[in-house]
Amino acid sequence: SQVLRLERSRRTGVVFPLQKLARYLAPGTDTSRFRLFQPDLAALQRAEALFRSGRNHVIDYVSSAVRMDHAPPAALPEVCFVGRSNVGKSSLIRALFALSPEVEVRVSKTPGDTKKMNFFKVGKYFTLVDMPGYGYRAPQDFVEMVEAYLQERHNLKRTFLLVDGVVGLQKTDHIAVEMLEEFGIPYVMVLTKIDRASRGLLLKNVLEIQEFVKEKTHGCFPQLFLVSSLEFSGIHLLRCFVAHVTGNLPTVEAS
């Protein structure tokens, strides 16, 4: 809650971890894709306010579903978070909602514990969906559940594909990318657990994934988002991007 009050240089290091990483690249390296989405302080503050519940702005878990006919009405703009079973998805969502501690986001010590689609309503502005993890310990009907959601949820504005920042893109991640590309779903890649990776390893993974996005994808936003749910690096920027893609920051521009 204190990050946006820090002086500018310290704030930039926490809010924009990708830009902080760019300092260690060779001179002349193209870093234009590191700063396509670069909101100002006012936009970051507006997004932070959206994620802070109040008397007239209730943020709460709504329901869970294993089939689309169990999902809540598609009344608000929606974003969903999907990734491998141990990528830290629920921890990231809990970090996004850290300013509203009454919101119950279950984080299990057992990877793959999320077996249903969990819907969280952010006031009258948007809905955030925690999807079951794929790969290890994925629910038996994962493919049917997720494919139906992606194809039928007309209010879905962006899918956030989480990738482990320590190990980079895995085979199961490539399958998820193929599915999103096949369905024509706009998505963005989020690298998690960046606090666990050395600077050199993180740079290697960032550059490799950025090149993959540039050469092999059509529906992926060109900028990667780096986050640490433990240190809160990148959390404020990700909140702002969620607010932007759901239409709640109309003045912010993103290439």
Side-chain angles (χ1 to χ4, degrees):
S1 62
Q2 304 298 317
V3 169
L4 298 185
R5 300 174 192 168
L6 295 172
E7 52 92 12
R8 186 172 182 176
S9 61
R10 290 183 63 202
R11 184 177 73 236
T12 298
V14 180
V15 176
F16 302 103
L18 192 58
Q19 292 181 29
K20 183 180 180 182
L21 202 61
R23 302 173 192 166
Y24 304 100
L25 292 170
T29 303
D30 181 11
T31 59
S32 58
R33 287 172 173 246
F34 281 45
R35 54 183 74 235
L36 294 175
F37 182 73
Q38 194 173 9
D40 60 16
L41 180 58
L44 291 164
Q45 290 170 333
R46 167 65 177 153
E48 184 177 87
L50 283 174
F51 281 87
R52 182 185 286 111
S53 60
R55 188 171 63 179
N56 298 316
H57 178 57
V58 178
I59 302 174
D60 204 5
Y61 161 80
V62 178
S63 64
S64 297
V66 292
R67 300 201 314 266
M68 285 306 297
D69 54 357
H70 292 166
L76 295 173
E78 200 158 273
V79 294
C80 77
F81 285 68
V82 64
R84 289 192 301 121
S85 296
N86 59 347
V87 78
K89 182 163 43 62
S90 296
S91 295
L92 173 56
I93 293 173
R94 185 168 66 173
L96 290 171
F97 287 137
L99 298 168
S100 303
E102 71 280 3
V103 179
E104 185 180 2
V105 182
R106 295 178 182 178
V107 180
S108 173
K109 294 180 180 179
T110 305
D113 196 53
T114 303
K115 301 295 186 185
K116 303 175 180 179
M117 300 178 285
N118 297 315
F119 293 79
F120 299 87
K121 187 178 179 184
V122 181
K124 59 184 180 182
Y125 297 100
F126 63 90
T127 304
L128 186 150
V129 188
D130 182 7
M131 302 293 283
Y134 53 76
Y136 174 66
R137 287 178 59 89
Q140 191 171 2
D141 55 353
F142 171 83
V143 173
E144 293 85 350
M145 188 191 311
V146 174
E147 284 192 357
Y149 173 84
L150 293 175
Q151 289 182 301
E152 298 175 20
R153 204 67 172 171
H154 62 81
N155 60 327
L156 179 63
K157 299 301 181 184
R158 196 69 54 117
T159 294
F160 290 80
L161 177 61
L162 275 52
V163 176
D164 192 318
V166 179
V167 299
L169 283 171
Q170 301 293 292
K171 183 177 180 180
T172 46
D173 298 321
H174 283 280
I175 294 171
V177 167
E178 289 172 7
M179 179 174 63
L180 292 165
E181 290 285 335
E182 179 186 346
F183 294 161
I185 304 293
Y187 62 103
V188 58
M189 286 197 196
V190 180
L191 271 63
T192 63
K193 306 179 183 179
I194 63 170
D195 54 282
R196 298 187 186 182
S198 67
R199 185 191 302 152
L201 177 60
L202 189 57
L203 264 174
K204 172 180 174 289
N205 287 336
V206 164
L207 293 175
E208 286 181 356
I209 295 172
Q210 189 172 263
E211 186 65 19
F212 171 81
V213 169
K214 181 180 179 181
E215 299 294 333
K216 304 291 186 181
T217 71
H218 296 285
C220 187
F221 186 67
Q223 179 179 319
L224 304 180
F225 287 79
L226 275 56
V227 296
S228 166
S229 301
L230 186 66
E231 298 177 348
F232 279 81
S233 300
I235 297 297
H236 297 77
L237 184 64
L238 193 59
R239 283 180 183 145
C240 205
F241 194 70
V242 170
H244 171 64
V245 297
T246 54
N248 292 296
L249 284 180
T251 59
V252 176
E253 294 183 4
S255 301

